[in-house]
């Protein structure tokens, strides 16, 4: 669905070292957590954190709970 497409687009951008806004990433993470798709969001979250993107602790916890 749309969440899977968003995950692919974000991953492609990360693979090409393109930055996405923190707000866009957080919106994706929130939607993934709400839909119980933490397994989809977790690798993207980890990559964003490795790249130095500061994601709110509340959102990080939401993703982890959704896994």
């Amino acid at each position: 669905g749309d969440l899977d497409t968003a995950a692919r687009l974000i991953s492609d951008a990360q693979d090409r070292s393109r930055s996405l806004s923190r707000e866009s990433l957080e919106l994706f993470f929130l939607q993934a957590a709400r839909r119980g798709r933490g397994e989809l969001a977790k690798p993207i979250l980890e990559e964003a954190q490795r790249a130095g993107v500061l994601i709110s602790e509340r959102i990080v916890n939401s993703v982890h709970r959704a896994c």
Side-chain angles (χ1 to χ4, degrees), residues 1 8 10 12 17 19 23 29 33 38 45 49 51 54 57 61 66:
R8 279 194 306 276
I10 293 168
D12 288 347
S17 298
S19 64
E23 293 82 14
F29 296 137
L45 173 63
Q49 289 175 317
L54 298 175
E57 189 173 330
N61 291 335

Side-chain angles (χ1 to χ4, degrees), residues 23-66:
E23 293 82 14
S24 295
L25 289 170
E26 287 188 341
L27 181 60
F28 166 76
F29 296 137
L30 283 173
Q31 289 299 316
R34 285 183 185 136
R35 295 179 186 182
R37 300 290 310 274
E39 82 288 348
L40 184 66
K42 189 174 179 185
I44 295 171
L45 173 63
E46 290 169 351
E47 180 60 31
Q49 289 175 317
R50 278 193 297 273
V53 178
L54 298 175
I55 304 297
S56 82
E57 189 173 330
R58 178 180 62 90
I59 292 174
V60 170
N61 291 335
S62 293
V63 170
H64 287 288
R65 279 193 306 270

